[in-house]
Amino acid sequence: MKIADLAVPEQVKEIIIKSGIVELYPPQEDAVKAGALEGRNLVLASPTASGKTLVAELCALKHLVEKGGKVVYLTPLRALANEKFDDFKKYAAVTKAGGKRIRVGISTGDFDSTDHWLERYDIIVTTNEKADSLLRHRAKWMEEISLVIADEVHLLNDAERGPTLEVVLARLMQVSPDIQVLALSATINNVGEIAEWLKAEHITTEWRPVTLKEGVLLHDEIQFKDGDARKIEKKTGDSVINLALNTMKSGGQALVFASTRKSAVALAKKFAVQISEALSKPLRRSLEHEAERVLVAGERTRISESLSELVKCGVAFHHAGLGGGHRRLIEDAFREGKLKVLTATPTLAFGVNLPARTVVVQDYRRYEPGYGFYPISVLEYKQMAGRAGRPKYDKTGEALLVAKTGDEASYLMEGYVLARPERIWSRLAVERIMRGHVLATIAADFAHSEEGIYEFFGKTFYAHQYDTSSIKGLIAKILKYLYEEEMIEVSGNDIKATRFGKRVSDLYIDPVSAVVIRDALKEKPACLTELSLLHLIAHTPDMGPILRPFSNEVDELAVFMDEHKEEFLVDVPIEWEDGLGYEQFLGEVKTAMTLNAWIEETSEDQLIERYRVQPGDLYRVIENAKWLLHAMHELAMLFGEKQILPLALGLMQRVDKGVKKELLPIVRLEGVGRVRGRIMFNAGYKTIEDIKHAPIEDLTSLPLIGPRLAKRIKEQVGGFVKTETWKKLDEEDDWKQKALTEY
Ligand SMILES: Nc1ncnc2c1ncn2[C@@H]1O[C@H](COP(=O)(O)OP(=O)(O)OP(=O)(O)O)[C@@H](O)[C@H]1O
Ligand SMILES: [Mg+2]
């Protein structure tokens, strides 16, 4: 089926054809035949790289041009939201029903807001969590959504991301019963069941545009699924390195999945020497430049230095311990073909398009503390394997598992390569996850009675798989908790959220976090300090994984805890009575200490050394701390705890920027972060007024401030600058120009 022949507006077809796509892939054709473009609900389950996004694009654009309304595109990860936003942006010139241009927006952050500005957009790309929070706020425009696209819907099976996705879909179907649902999935065993739940047709195909040869690597031989075998050239004693060198020799790139961050880094280091020797001169030069960019993409740390050294060798690692800026740089350099080998944790397993001719799954086992090693699912293996051989980049792809023995090789062949992905199951019925959703159902007016709540949860995938009665006990228990904690009121059959309950739901925090905060604030400790609040937020379940102390830190932490015991807003557990509680508390204190060091302007590198925290985890803790301090501020306001307000607000601003109080006025400037802010402050530029009166040459003479940034600063503060000076600044070429990232 040709794109030109589709019953889709001409302007849309033109854009697609111009992007180089002229014909539909068979799964896309199946989707069209199943009525996806005519408004039918559909679950499209097809292999990786089979072009599911294009079906979504066709569907969304036809929908908007012919019918109007709004389209929301749900993704499980921020990185994927960014990629899909880029995919949709190319349609910005299309005119929709009513004659206006289509607008594409993205929203992934800040949970406590209705984001009225999103109203202007026709296509909104978002994460499942953000969509959930918008629904809790009952953002008016959400009622106009007439098409929802759920990407990676097989992640319903994921304990963390799945429940939010099913609640969001159930709510959207409740808000707009006529909404069209398009769900995109990997091939799984029970597609039919998901389709039944969504009242949709379903299509399952095994077709892939690029042949993906799956197999197992044992020593220097690959055994493929189709019976083929191949020996790889033995250049070193390590088979995976040999394999990567082979791929490189044939002009390809390799993506190697490791099970932990540590092994991703170790693997990258192992590759460096050999890969580096095989690089061409021009590429080496270009990589020098990339390495420089890695160093200036944020504060210089031992991690950015080691990443930068690897990049010079054409190798890099990618995991959640890296900051977003570094991750994007690495993804781009790999996309541009500069990096030859990329090692990654499964953060890169889903949905992304990368030019990996060879994917290596180094370790099929994963470790979970308290649980031990377990083998990954076939579904996850298939997702990782599927990053190889993407149509935009390669004609064929190879995905290989690594075996150490013949027995293991047979196990991997049977258990993964030849195996079919598992059934997926709803993971909703967990108290920790459900309590927020139950409260939101009441607070956002989705139900007003116990019956109504059962009815709503009766529309979830969980109820479809297991029936509602099995979740009733859990809901009843949660309702009792919410009632006792005064988040809901009951009169007769009627259930209503209290002001407290409504605020908690809007703040998108776990009801238990809210109770922890409320009770602690009531205590009014003898000695209220910043540490009190930082520890309190680390004590809530919403902080997520806290920073666990290493064994040699425990003594120091215990001493610190003892010295500061007056300041904590919750009781310190006694070690011999509650060992686990005590250990948890140590971690909370470590998290609070790390946050405190951050706002005392300890450098990122010192934080890494002192607390052994990686940037990615530090940023996650900072993000969560900002959100929880905001929540605390709001709850303190609600309960009239006035003495908390300035402290919480000040902390929130300082945690956001990582600075002492004195730096707050100047770090508000765009381009000025904690490092540059400190340099300016120490040079005597302590206020906006000081900077306004500073000669521009004085600013550019400071370290890390290039002419372009100086100009940007001046533009923000106002003040007189001569025309010739402006001009000269534009012409100057300085290495500092590159360092425009805010830090
Ligand atoms: N009909 C087509 N002709 C040529 N290229 C296409 C066609 N449809 C899609 N593509 C290209 O195929 C690539 C893979 O598409 P896409 O990312 O949508 O795959 P997917 O099915 O979503 O895979 P995954 O399950 O890994 O997310 C993209 O680069 C896309 O531009
Ligand atoms: Mg996809």
Side-chain angles (χ1 to χ4, degrees), residues 168-208:
V168 166
L169 287 173
R171 288 215 205 288
L172 283 170
M173 290 191 289
Q174 187 186 10
V175 175
S176 324
D178 294 330
I179 199 167
Q180 184 190 355
V181 183
L182 174 63
L184 309 175
S185 169
T187 43
I188 43 169
N189 237 322
N190 52 338
V191 182
E193 208 172 5
I194 299 181
E196 254 175 54
W197 167 52
L198 296 172
K199 300 188 181 54
E201 304 282 319
H202 65 97
I203 293 172
T204 300
T205 77
E206 296 298 335
W207 187 89
R208 210 177 184 277

Side-chain angles (χ1 to χ4, degrees), residues 576-701:
W576 56 88
E577 280 179 5
D578 177 11
L580 279 178
Y582 182 77
E583 221 172 86
Q584 169 76 17
F585 205 91
L586 285 174
E588 294 162 12
V589 173
K590 174 172 173 176
T591 309
M593 277 171 85
T594 312
L595 280 167
N596 196 55
W598 164 252
I599 59 177
E600 285 301 314
E601 295 179 35
T602 307
S603 72
E604 279 184 32
D605 195 48
Q606 281 167 331
L607 288 170
I608 291 170
E609 188 190 350
R610 173 111 208 267
Y611 300 101
R612 286 198 261 169
V613 54
Q614 297 188 341
D617 295 320
L618 177 68
Y619 303 150
R620 177 184 55 76
V621 167
I622 290 169
E623 276 295 306
N624 288 349
K626 274 191 315 195
W627 163 51
L628 287 164
L629 285 164
H630 167 68
M632 183 194 293
H633 183 264
E634 295 300 293
L635 293 178
M637 202 122 90
L638 185 76
F639 291 111
E641 304 290 350
K642 290 213 181 80
Q643 81 283 16
I644 300 286
L645 298 178
L647 197 59
L649 197 65
L651 264 179
M652 205 164 77
Q653 292 167 340
R654 289 181 56 200
V655 168
D656 183 22
K657 301 285 184 184
V659 295
K660 294 183 182 159
K661 202 167 165 198
E662 62 196 26
L663 238 52
L664 282 176
I666 58 173
V667 289
R668 291 209 182 95
L669 293 170
E670 202 191 315
V672 181
R674 62 201 301 248
V675 177
R676 291 196 182 107
R678 179 48 61 193
I679 291 170
M680 287 166 71
F681 189 93
N682 289 352
Y685 305 110
K686 300 185 176 174
T687 61
I688 298 289
E689 206 54 26
D690 293 340
I691 302 170
K692 194 168 160 181
H693 294 122
I696 201 142
E697 296 79 13
D698 288 6
L699 290 181
T700 52
S701 72

Side-chain angles (χ1 to χ4, degrees), residues 52-53 73 84 151-152 184 351 390:
K52 294 183 281 293
T53 317
Y73 192 106
K84 296 303 149 194
D151 201 358
E152 310 280 335
L184 309 175
R390 309 289 293 188

